PDB file of all heavy atoms in Angstrom:
ATOM      1  N   VAL B 125     106.627  82.354  97.864  1.00 97.00           N
ATOM      2  CA  VAL B 125     105.402  81.575  97.829  1.00 97.00           C
ATOM      3  C   VAL B 125     104.349  82.315  98.569  1.00 97.00           C
ATOM      4  O   VAL B 125     104.640  82.919  99.571  1.00 97.00           O
ATOM      5  CB  VAL B 125     105.684  80.169  98.435  1.00 97.00           C
ATOM      6  CG1 VAL B 125     106.181  80.171  99.864  1.00 97.00           C
ATOM      7  CG2 VAL B 125     104.406  79.297  98.279  1.00 97.00           C
ATOM      8  N   ASP B 126     103.178  82.105  98.062  1.00 96.00           N
ATOM      9  CA  ASP B 126     102.019  82.760  98.809  1.00 96.00           C
ATOM     10  C   ASP B 126     100.902  81.674  98.853  1.00 96.00           C
ATOM     11  O   ASP B 126     100.785  80.906  97.907  1.00 96.00           O
ATOM     12  CB  ASP B 126     101.479  83.898  97.880  1.00 96.00           C
ATOM     13  CG  ASP B 126     100.459  84.721  98.573  1.00 96.00           C
ATOM     14  OD1 ASP B 126     100.346  84.762  99.804  1.00 96.00           O
ATOM     15  OD2 ASP B 126      99.561  85.291  97.895  1.00 96.00           O
ATOM     16  N   VAL B 127     100.160  81.613  99.926  1.00 96.00           N
ATOM     17  CA  VAL B 127      99.218  80.639 100.133  1.00 96.00           C
ATOM     18  C   VAL B 127      97.793  81.319  99.969  1.00 96.00           C
ATOM     19  O   VAL B 127      97.555  82.411 100.570  1.00 96.00           O
ATOM     20  CB  VAL B 127      99.158  80.011 101.540  1.00 96.00           C
ATOM     21  CG1 VAL B 127      98.037  79.028 101.764  1.00 96.00           C
ATOM     22  CG2 VAL B 127     100.578  79.304 101.664  1.00 96.00           C
ATOM     23  N   GLN B 128      96.975  80.766  99.161  1.00 95.00           N
ATOM     24  CA  GLN B 128      95.619  81.385  98.936  1.00 95.00           C
ATOM     25  C   GLN B 128      94.656  80.263  99.242  1.00 95.00           C
ATOM     26  O   GLN B 128      94.645  79.087  98.572  1.00 95.00           O
ATOM     27  CB  GLN B 128      95.452  81.851  97.475  1.00 95.00           C
ATOM     28  CG  GLN B 128      96.294  83.039  97.147  1.00 95.00           C
ATOM     29  CD  GLN B 128      95.834  84.312  97.794  1.00 95.00           C
ATOM     30  OE1 GLN B 128      94.607  84.471  97.963  1.00 95.00           O
ATOM     31  NE2 GLN B 128      96.705  85.208  98.133  1.00 95.00           N
ATOM     32  N   VAL B 129      93.684  80.498 100.114  1.00 94.00           N
ATOM     33  CA  VAL B 129      92.675  79.463 100.419  1.00 94.00           C
ATOM     34  C   VAL B 129      91.311  80.015 100.101  1.00 94.00           C
ATOM     35  O   VAL B 129      90.958  81.099 100.522  1.00 94.00           O
ATOM     36  CB  VAL B 129      92.750  79.109 101.887  1.00 94.00           C
ATOM     37  CG1 VAL B 129      91.722  78.064 102.187  1.00 94.00           C
ATOM     38  CG2 VAL B 129      94.103  78.587 102.288  1.00 94.00           C
ATOM     39  N   GLY B 130      90.550  79.223  99.296  1.00 92.00           N
ATOM     40  CA  GLY B 130      89.157  79.604  98.985  1.00 92.00           C
ATOM     41  C   GLY B 130      88.145  78.563  99.572  1.00 92.00           C
ATOM     42  O   GLY B 130      88.533  77.705 100.294  1.00 92.00           O
ATOM     43  N   LEU B 131      86.873  78.793  99.169  1.00 89.00           N
ATOM     44  CA  LEU B 131      85.872  77.882  99.570  1.00 89.00           C
ATOM     45  C   LEU B 131      86.177  76.422  99.240  1.00 89.00           C
ATOM     46  O   LEU B 131      85.962  75.527  99.958  1.00 89.00           O
ATOM     47  CB  LEU B 131      84.554  78.370  99.074  1.00 89.00           C
ATOM     48  CG  LEU B 131      83.680  79.232  99.859  1.00 89.00           C
ATOM     49  CD1 LEU B 131      82.363  79.523  99.062  1.00 89.00           C
ATOM     50  CD2 LEU B 131      83.293  78.652 101.241  1.00 89.00           C
ATOM     51  N   MET B 132      86.608  76.200  98.010  1.00 89.00           N
ATOM     52  CA  MET B 132      86.757  74.879  97.466  1.00 89.00           C
ATOM     53  C   MET B 132      88.246  74.411  97.302  1.00 89.00           C
ATOM     54  O   MET B 132      88.444  73.294  97.248  1.00 89.00           O
ATOM     55  CB  MET B 132      86.057  74.793  96.150  1.00 89.00           C
ATOM     56  CG  MET B 132      84.593  75.003  96.165  1.00 89.00           C
ATOM     57  SD  MET B 132      83.775  73.800  97.141  1.00 89.00           S
ATOM     58  CE  MET B 132      84.255  72.316  96.276  1.00 89.00           C
ATOM     59  N   THR B 133      89.104  75.386  97.188  1.00 92.00           N
ATOM     60  CA  THR B 133      90.496  75.008  96.794  1.00 92.00           C
ATOM     61  C   THR B 133      91.525  75.835  97.691  1.00 92.00           C
ATOM     62  O   THR B 133      91.213  76.844  98.174  1.00 92.00           O
ATOM     63  CB  THR B 133      90.760  75.427  95.297  1.00 92.00           C
ATOM     64  OG1 THR B 133      90.448  76.760  95.113  1.00 92.00           O
ATOM     65  CG2 THR B 133      89.919  74.540  94.430  1.00 92.00           C
ATOM     66  N   THR B 134      92.672  75.165  97.768  1.00 95.00           N
ATOM     67  CA  THR B 134      93.855  75.753  98.297  1.00 95.00           C
ATOM     68  C   THR B 134      94.924  75.868  97.208  1.00 95.00           C
ATOM     69  O   THR B 134      95.185  74.909  96.553  1.00 95.00           O
ATOM     70  CB  THR B 134      94.383  74.939  99.516  1.00 95.00           C
ATOM     71  OG1 THR B 134      93.396  74.959 100.544  1.00 95.00           O
ATOM     72  CG2 THR B 134      95.647  75.407 100.056  1.00 95.00           C
ATOM     73  N   TRP B 135      95.510  77.066  97.150  1.00 97.00           N
ATOM     74  CA  TRP B 135      96.493  77.221  96.152  1.00 97.00           C
ATOM     75  C   TRP B 135      97.899  77.644  96.768  1.00 97.00           C
ATOM     76  O   TRP B 135      97.912  78.518  97.595  1.00 97.00           O
ATOM     77  CB  TRP B 135      96.147  78.272  95.138  1.00 97.00           C
ATOM     78  CG  TRP B 135      95.029  77.811  94.189  1.00 97.00           C
ATOM     79  CD1 TRP B 135      93.699  77.691  94.509  1.00 97.00           C
ATOM     80  CD2 TRP B 135      95.217  77.336  92.868  1.00 97.00           C
ATOM     81  NE1 TRP B 135      93.026  77.215  93.401  1.00 97.00           N
ATOM     82  CE2 TRP B 135      93.958  76.955  92.369  1.00 97.00           C
ATOM     83  CE3 TRP B 135      96.266  77.141  92.085  1.00 97.00           C
ATOM     84  CZ2 TRP B 135      93.742  76.436  91.133  1.00 97.00           C
ATOM     85  CZ3 TRP B 135      96.154  76.612  90.801  1.00 97.00           C
ATOM     86  CH2 TRP B 135      94.800  76.306  90.329  1.00 97.00           C
ATOM     87  N   LEU B 136      98.959  77.104  96.300  1.00 97.00           N
ATOM     88  CA  LEU B 136     100.273  77.550  96.560  1.00 97.00           C
ATOM     89  C   LEU B 136     100.774  78.269  95.326  1.00 97.00           C
ATOM     90  O   LEU B 136     100.942  77.696  94.245  1.00 97.00           O
ATOM     91  CB  LEU B 136     101.218  76.451  96.891  1.00 97.00           C
ATOM     92  CG  LEU B 136     100.892  75.515  98.072  1.00 97.00           C
ATOM     93  CD1 LEU B 136     101.980  74.473  98.239  1.00 97.00           C
ATOM     94  CD2 LEU B 136     100.646  76.310  99.313  1.00 97.00           C
ATOM     95  N   ASP B 137     100.953  79.573  95.449  1.00 97.00           N
ATOM     96  CA  ASP B 137     101.407  80.356  94.295  1.00 97.00           C
ATOM     97  C   ASP B 137     102.865  80.710  94.438  1.00 97.00           C
ATOM     98  O   ASP B 137     103.272  81.326  95.363  1.00 97.00           O
ATOM     99  CB  ASP B 137     100.658  81.706  94.235  1.00 97.00           C
ATOM    100  CG  ASP B 137      99.106  81.510  94.030  1.00 97.00           C
ATOM    101  OD1 ASP B 137      98.731  80.486  93.605  1.00 97.00           O
ATOM    102  OD2 ASP B 137      98.310  82.471  94.339  1.00 97.00           O
ATOM    103  N   ILE B 138     103.627  80.139  93.500  1.00 97.00           N
ATOM    104  CA  ILE B 138     105.012  80.266  93.575  1.00 97.00           C
ATOM    105  C   ILE B 138     105.574  81.118  92.397  1.00 97.00           C
ATOM    106  O   ILE B 138     105.168  80.940  91.316  1.00 97.00           O
ATOM    107  CB  ILE B 138     105.777  78.880  93.564  1.00 97.00           C
ATOM    108  CG1 ILE B 138     105.356  78.112  94.836  1.00 97.00           C
ATOM    109  CG2 ILE B 138     107.280  79.032  93.432  1.00 97.00           C
ATOM    110  CD1 ILE B 138     105.816  76.642  94.749  1.00 97.00           C
TER     111      ILE B 138
END
Side-chain angles (χ1 to χ4, degrees):
Chain B
V125 60
D126 187 29
V127 174
Q128 293 287 330
V129 180
L131 267 178
M132 296 299 300
T133 54
T134 293
W135 287 80
L136 301 183
D137 296 344
I138 294 170

